[in-house]
């Protein structure tokens, strides 16, 4: 018996069904082909966006996530055979960071221009003693490329043209000079700064005045204005301006020439005391200067007057002041200021 469905045989229905399936599949293939043609024509891929930038073959868009490139160790990076020009990776050990290949692996530094492929710039710091390249000492900075990649700036790698010095004494509380420095025709024995932060100092002559003498030929009349305990230069000016003055220890110092300097004077009591306080630094330096003589431990005149017939001397051996008659002869030493 043959089944009949609404006037169609079963065989006829099956034929029609199969033909419909084939037609639908062909339509699907046509659609896929159209999409591929459109894809190849546009040559763009958008991730996270339906409208990739027309200048990009790949447009990845996100405001919450990033893109990860291959991550590997330095050994794994170096093991890549014939890497393509422009190949990008992220190195996870040694000097970590991004590297790209350009006839060699180049580290993408976050600071400054790129150097030769794979070479890092190193800096070497060395403490500078006073007087070497900085008056008060400091730090020497040397730069160069780490050509052998040992992370140490070797002597042969230093570029001398890049060497710099950072010297001490750049802050308001420090000095450009130092106690015991050979400077200005002698040796610095005291430093200070004025209200404007300008630096000043006292210098003792590198050679003492060998011939001593009396404080002044005027021995019974007070100068009056030569009694300053700290201002030796003012004392000297007052002494040589005194009526009937002919010779004095102050005049010998004012006429003294040493180290190319001519502005020497007889120190006051306080200035002589400062010299005694720093005598170690002074004599240590003087002992290294050819032709110089260390400050002898004698008793010296100061320019400080005590009364009409007496003035103050200073015992360099004990560091104590003494009062003597203006007529006696004592040793003389000269200082200057800057």
């Amino acid at each position: 018996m043959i089944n009949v469905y609404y006037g169609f045989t079963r065989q006829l229905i099956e034929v029609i069904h199969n033909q419909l399936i084939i037609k639908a599949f062909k339509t699907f293939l046509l659609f896929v082909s159209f999409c591929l043609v459109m894809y190849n024509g546009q040559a763009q891929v958008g991730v996270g966006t339906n409208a990739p930038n027309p200048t990009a073959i790949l447009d990845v868009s996100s405001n919450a996530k990033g893109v990860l490139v291959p991550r590997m160790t330095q050994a794994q990076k170096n093991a890549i055979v014939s890497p393509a020009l422009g190949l990008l990776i992220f190195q996870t050990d040694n000097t970590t960071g991004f590297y790209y290949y350009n006839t060699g692996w180049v580290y993408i530094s976050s600071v400054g221009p790129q150097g030769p492929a794979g070479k890092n710039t190193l800096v070497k710091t060395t403490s500078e003693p006073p007087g070497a390249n900085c008056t008060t000492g400091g730090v020497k900075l040397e730069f160069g490329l780490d050509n052998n990649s040992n992370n140490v700036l070797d002597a042969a790698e230093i570029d001398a043209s890049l060497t710099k010095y950072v010297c001490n004494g750049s802050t308001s509380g420090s000095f450009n000079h130092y106690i015991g420095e050979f400077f200005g025709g002698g040796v610095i024995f005291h430093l200070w700064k004025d209200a404007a932060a300008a630096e000043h100092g006292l210098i003792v002559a590198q050679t003492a005045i060998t011939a001593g003498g009396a404080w002044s030929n005027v021995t019974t009349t007070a100068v009056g204005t030569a009694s300053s305990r700290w201002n030796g230069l003012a004392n000297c000016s007052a002494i040589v301006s005194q009526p009937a003055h002919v010779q004095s220890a102050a005049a010998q110092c004012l006429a003294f020439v040493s180290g190319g300097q001519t502005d020497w004077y007889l120190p006051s009591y306080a200035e002589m005391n400062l010299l005694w306080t720093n005598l170690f630094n002074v004599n240590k330096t003087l002992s290294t200067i050819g032709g110089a003589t260390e400050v002898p431990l004698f008793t010296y005149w100061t320019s400080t007057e005590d009364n009409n017939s007496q003035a103050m001397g200073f015992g360099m051996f004990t560091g104590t002041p003494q009062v003597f008659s203006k007529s006696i002869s004592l040793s003389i030493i000269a200082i200057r200021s800057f």
Side-chain angles (χ1 to χ4, degrees), residues 21-68:
I21 291 176
I22 292 172
K23 185 177 182 180
F25 182 71
K26 288 181 177 179
T27 302
F28 174 74
L29 289 178
L30 181 62
F31 174 77
V32 170
S33 298
F34 175 78
C35 290
L36 290 175
V37 171
M38 292 299 293
Y39 171 77
N40 289 330
Q42 295 292 329
Q44 291 179 267
V45 176
V47 178
T49 176
N50 293 324
N53 190 288
T55 64
I57 191 171
L58 174 64
D59 186 346
V60 181
S61 179
S62 175
N63 55 15
K65 298 180 180 179
V67 175
L68 281 177

Side-chain angles (χ1 to χ4, degrees), residues 6-297:
Y6 303 102
F8 294 94
T9 64
R10 181 174 182 176
Q11 290 83 353
L12 181 59
I13 291 174
E14 289 177 351
V15 170
I16 294 172
H17 179 265
N18 290 337
Q19 288 178 343
L20 290 172
I21 291 176
I22 292 172
K23 185 177 182 180
F25 182 71
K26 288 181 177 179
T27 302
F28 174 74
L29 289 178
L30 181 62
F31 174 77
V32 170
S33 298
F34 175 78
C35 290
L36 290 175
V37 171
M38 292 299 293
Y39 171 77
N40 289 330
Q42 295 292 329
Q44 291 179 267
V45 176
V47 178
T49 176
N50 293 324
N53 190 288
T55 64
I57 191 171
L58 174 64
D59 186 346
V60 181
S61 179
S62 175
N63 55 15
K65 298 180 180 179
V67 175
L68 281 177
V69 300
R71 291 153 289 169
M72 61 188 71
T73 64
Q74 183 181 46
Q76 293 169 331
K77 177 197 71 180
N78 293 337
I80 298 175
V81 178
S82 300
L85 191 67
L87 189 66
L88 178 69
I89 66 99
F90 184 88
Q91 185 172 301
T92 58
D93 63 351
N94 295 315
T95 303
T96 61
F98 289 99
Y99 290 77
Y100 70 91
Y101 190 81
N102 181 18
T103 67
W105 287 106
V106 180
Y107 172 59
I108 303 177
S109 173
S110 61
V111 179
Q114 295 300 312
K119 306 301 181 184
N120 294 324
T121 298
L122 300 180
V123 60
K124 178 182 178 182
T125 61
T126 307
S127 295
E128 280 284 301
N133 292 286
C134 295
T135 301
T136 57
V139 178
K140 181 180 183 180
L141 304 177
E142 297 174 293
F143 301 86
L145 290 177
D146 186 16
N147 291 318
N148 58 9
S149 300
N150 67 346
N151 291 322
V152 175
L153 187 61
D154 301 313
E157 296 171 334
I158 295 173
D159 186 344
S161 66
L162 300 176
T163 299
K164 303 294 181 183
Y165 299 91
V166 179
C167 299
N168 298 330
S170 60
T171 60
S172 59
S174 60
F175 290 87
N176 294 319
H177 297 282
Y178 61 94
I179 304 299
E181 179 186 359
F182 180 49
F183 174 78
V187 179
I188 297 174
F189 65 91
H190 180 60
L191 290 169
W192 77 95
K193 287 189 175 183
D194 60 25
E199 186 173 336
H200 301 277
L202 295 176
I203 299 171
V204 63
Q206 55 185 301
T207 56
I209 297 176
T210 54
W215 191 82
S216 173
N217 67 290
V218 182
T219 60
T220 59
T221 304
V223 179
T225 54
S227 60
S228 175
R229 299 294 178 98
W230 64 272
N231 194 340
L233 182 58
N235 287 343
C236 289
S237 297
I239 293 169
V240 298
S241 298
Q242 187 181 20
H245 172 273
V246 176
Q247 67 82 30
S248 64
Q252 287 181 264
C253 288
L254 292 174
F256 186 57
V257 178
S258 178
Q261 306 297 327
T262 60
D263 55 347
W264 302 98
Y265 62 90
L266 185 67
S268 66
Y269 157 68
E271 289 168 322
M272 190 69 82
N273 188 63
L274 288 171
L275 174 59
W276 178 81
T277 300
N278 292 303
L279 195 59
F280 171 86
N281 305 72
V282 170
N283 278 346
K284 184 174 183 296
T285 300
L286 287 172
S287 68
T288 66
I289 302 171
T293 56
E294 297 179 32
V295 177
L297 300 182

